[in-house]
Amino acid sequence: MPSLHHRARLRRAARALPLLFLPLTGAQAQDRAAREPAARDPAIVDGVVLDQLSVEGAGVSLTRADPVGLNLRTPDRGASRLGLTPLETPASIDIVSGETARLRGQNTVAEAVTQDATGITSIAAPGNGNGAFTARGFAGPNSVQTLYDGTRLYVGANTVTFPFDTWNVERIEVLRGPASVLYGDGAIGGVINVVPKKPTFSAVNAGRAVIGSDGLARLALDSGGAIGQAEFGDTFAYRLNVSGNRGDGWVSPVGDFRSLAVSGALLFRPSTDLAFTLSHDLGYQEPERYWGTPLVAGKIPDRIRFNNYNVRDAKITFADNWTQLKTEWTPTADVTIRNTAYRLTSRRHWLDVEQYAFNRATGLVDRSDFTEIYHSQEQVGNRFDAAFRGSLLGFRNAFLAGFDVNHIGFRHTNNFTFGTSDSVPPLGYDPGFFPQDGRARPAYATNTTQASVFAENRLILSDRLSVLGGVRFDAPTLNRQDLVTGDTFEKTYRSLGYRFGLVFNPTPDTALYAQVATATDPVGSLITLSQSLAGFRLATGRQVEVGAKGVVLDGALDWTLAGYRIVKDDLISRLPGAAAVGVQVGSQSSTGVEFAAALRLPHGWRLEGNLALLRAQYEEFTQVVGGQAVSYAGRQPIDVPERVANLWATYAFARDWEARVGVQNVGTVFSDFANTARRPAYTLVNFGLDRQVTPDSRLSLRLYNLFDRVYAISGNAVGGVGTNWLLGRPRSVEVAYSVAW
């Protein structure tokens, strides 16, 4: 635990270091200082000392998202590369502190995002790497992108497997609404940027041990500090996080899981205006080999709720490695130059039976989709940007421009020509083994090169009014080879995204804004598009959003309110007589309102919550059913709920004791276009109790799904009838002990 002397030294360093975002000068610096909250005594959360510092610079992490509140004053890099705060940005932004997630018992990124951010739900399944979300009426890893430390991994075959563990997370930045102007194609629903803990010159040492129901065990370590400080001064620093998890799982057989996440970074700062950070992150997962539970008369009977109908030798493994070298140089107070060179690799393997349906005629569970798949993916790239602060037409101005180039190699090995199926009894079944004659063979390989240029500008017209604009041009080229036939094709796309917004500040801590933003979206995962889909152009989308946000009552209440409408065109419809793959004449829309607030009350009470209501529908969308054209106009898009709400109530009821209750409500969703395969709304309640044993240690009790609600995260349907649901976690318990030294 750093001493008071070290904390004072950090604050002095923070004031001296160049900022990651553009430096403030003159009246701006005075205005920012007036907005900053008063310094508070440091607190210990999850064994980590929280100094309330407010800047980042020269590669050192000095910005920490506040574990209490909406972080409207915290600089954010996920919604703007200019490093603006949410109060300065004309967009809807959530900043979730990593300390908040760990304190609430959220061990995965998916749990933290869906329980803390506004309007985000998970449609996690083994097939999408447990990394798929919905936001603002749009679903899937292409429409809601996940970034790691600002770097985008191009999605292959609709699968995202990293990041997944919250132990190494500094904060999670969620931008709701189109983000193509920042990250290229996709992201019409939003972006989730997971920011890891950074090297620090102040010593950090923390650990956590957890045991729980179903054989659960977790161990984690966090260590950081200066290297050779006496000899080199504040020149070298490191950060190392290791988190391991295992459990027997709540389904059987083959319900066990395990994972390992390792995150290491080394900072070299030869001078106060130059820093190099080399980092490597490894993620290895063997998730539960569970693909769902069959419905019987539209319900999940209690007697089969915990059954897993996969084969006995089922396998799922995900291995991800991310290496980045970041350079940051501030040659003058008004110029910041950044460069990130990176290499990302993913290796994945599935060996499963993935579809189950109860056969009423035979009383058996029919199993199909005996699938084996291998993914091999490598992405190598470089992102550069330069930011300048000065004046334009006599007004204060901040401008940033840059480029992003990368190459993605992807290889897909599968057994998609294997078409066997079988049936097993609902109870007392032998899961059997995967057929040896159904193993995977090389199928196709792709090479994608992508080049883009982007720019952002913020013009400050007065102390109350600013204008933010951005533009990005992308030019990806896909080359695909069929490894069975040898056939190849090549396709180049062009896309232009932009956004324009106004921010008006009636008071220094209140903002009114309006924004127009565009997005482009491929008809599938861009780097794995099949030849049949390659002829389609990128789908386009546009959002109009207005909102307000603020901090009132001397910082006791943070609030945000937003209303928006998004229209996405060029969906693929299938019409009789048209090409088998369809034509791009469809459209989809969503109109919604979102509200979030965090309130600190007397006597140790805190309330934080959010609510998202939307009307999502297909505007024009036709498919061929039984040889006839069927219009689904007015129907709710698949997997999209029209209501999402979260509420957290925290009560420090005695010295060193704190209790919290979390409530999550997700509205009805559908598994088919016709909205006949319905998945019911559900409400989950989680409970936590913490005892601060010593100033440096804490004992925690976590109860998940307190009332043991049976609910579906995702589901499948055939012919408008639901066949199976992938169920969420039943009631379970964890006990954790966290310590710092």
Side-chain angles (χ1 to χ4, degrees), residues 573-587:
S573 289
R574 290 176 172 82
L575 306 175
V581 293
V583 293
Q584 281 185 284
V585 298
S587 63

Side-chain angles (χ1 to χ4, degrees), residues 274-350:
L274 179 64
F276 303 92
T277 304
L278 177 64
S279 63
H280 184 78
D281 295 88
L282 176 149
Y284 179 80
Q285 298 180 77
E286 294 181 16
E288 285 186 328
R289 291 150 288 175
Y290 167 67
W291 291 83
T293 303
L295 293 163
V296 178
K299 298 180 180 180
I300 302 292
D302 289 340
R303 61 179 183 164
I304 69 169
R305 177 185 176 187
F306 300 100
N307 287 0
N308 189 354
Y309 294 95
N310 210 337
V311 290
R312 192 179 302 278
D313 57 343
K315 296 179 182 178
I316 305 177
T317 59
F318 305 143
D320 297 272
N321 285 273
W322 297 48
T323 304
Q324 297 189 89
L325 175 61
K326 292 192 171 187
T327 304
E328 183 181 331
W329 180 40
T330 309
T332 73
D334 294 328
V335 177
T336 302
I337 297 173
R338 290 179 293 259
N339 190 82
T340 302
Y342 54 89
R343 178 177 182 265
L344 319 175
T345 65
S346 293
R347 303 289 184 266
R348 309 176 184 124
H349 180 212
W350 293 264

Side-chain angles (χ1 to χ4, degrees), residues 135-159:
R136 291 197 167 180
F138 299 90
N142 292 305
S143 295
V144 185
Q145 290 181 0
T146 300
L147 315 177
Y148 188 66
D149 205 14
T151 299
R152 169 190 176 184
L153 172 67
Y154 278 75
V155 178
N158 297 299
T159 306

Side-chain angles (χ1 to χ4, degrees), residues 187-454:
I188 191 171
V191 160
I192 298 166
N193 181 32
V194 179
V195 181
K197 298 173 184 175
K198 304 290 189 180
T200 173
F201 290 104
S202 178
V204 173
N205 291 288
R208 183 183 67 183
V210 182
I211 58 172
S213 50
D214 299 316
L216 182 85
R218 308 184 194 274
L219 282 175
L221 171 69
D222 178 11
S223 180
I227 300 176
Q229 185 169 352
E231 180 179 356
F232 300 105
D234 291 342
T235 303
F236 292 95
Y238 78 98
R239 196 66 178 264
L240 175 64
N241 278 268
V242 181
S243 175
N245 306 270
R246 69 159 308 279
D248 297 331
W250 57 272
V251 294
S252 64
V254 295
D256 57 301
F257 67 90
R258 67 189 65 195
S259 68
L260 174 67
V262 180
S263 176
L266 177 65
L267 167 69
F268 171 49
R269 193 181 66 185
S271 65
T272 57
D273 60 2
L274 179 64
F276 303 92
T277 304
L278 177 64
S279 63
H280 184 78
D281 295 88
L282 176 149
Y284 179 80
Q285 298 180 77
E286 294 181 16
E288 285 186 328
R289 291 150 288 175
Y290 167 67
W291 291 83
T293 303
L295 293 163
V296 178
K299 298 180 180 180
I300 302 292
D302 289 340
R303 61 179 183 164
I304 69 169
R305 177 185 176 187
F306 300 100
N307 287 0
N308 189 354
Y309 294 95
N310 210 337
V311 290
R312 192 179 302 278
D313 57 343
K315 296 179 182 178
I316 305 177
T317 59
F318 305 143
D320 297 272
N321 285 273
W322 297 48
T323 304
Q324 297 189 89
L325 175 61
K326 292 192 171 187
T327 304
E328 183 181 331
W329 180 40
T330 309
T332 73
D334 294 328
V335 177
T336 302
I337 297 173
R338 290 179 293 259
N339 190 82
T340 302
Y342 54 89
R343 178 177 182 265
L344 319 175
T345 65
S346 293
R347 303 289 184 266
R348 309 176 184 124
H349 180 212
W350 293 264
L351 183 73
D352 298 282
V353 182
E354 299 181 0
Q355 295 292 327
Y356 321 114
F358 179 74
N359 188 322
R360 185 175 298 181
T362 64
L364 301 175
V365 174
D366 295 336
R367 305 191 303 181
S368 58
D369 284 6
F370 283 70
T371 302
E372 184 173 38
I373 297 174
Y374 290 91
H375 285 181
S376 177
Q377 180 174 345
E378 179 186 54
Q379 177 179 329
V380 179
N382 191 89
R383 183 177 64 254
F384 171 88
D385 63 66
F388 307 89
R389 186 179 297 279
S391 63
L392 178 65
L393 303 176
F395 300 103
R396 289 171 291 164
N397 190 73
F399 174 74
L400 178 145
F403 65 84
D404 192 349
V405 294
N406 53 62
H407 174 270
I408 307 103
F410 187 91
R411 185 180 179 92
H412 202 283
T413 302
N414 63 56
N415 69 339
F416 288 173
T417 58
F418 185 64
T420 192
S421 61
D422 68 8
S423 300
V424 296
L427 299 171
Y429 54 90
D430 179 0
F433 295 91
F434 196 92
Q436 291 301 309
D437 59 345
R439 305 307 291 264
R441 299 178 180 179
Y444 66 88
T446 69
N447 285 282
T448 306
T449 57
Q450 190 273 146
S452 65
V453 291
F454 52 82

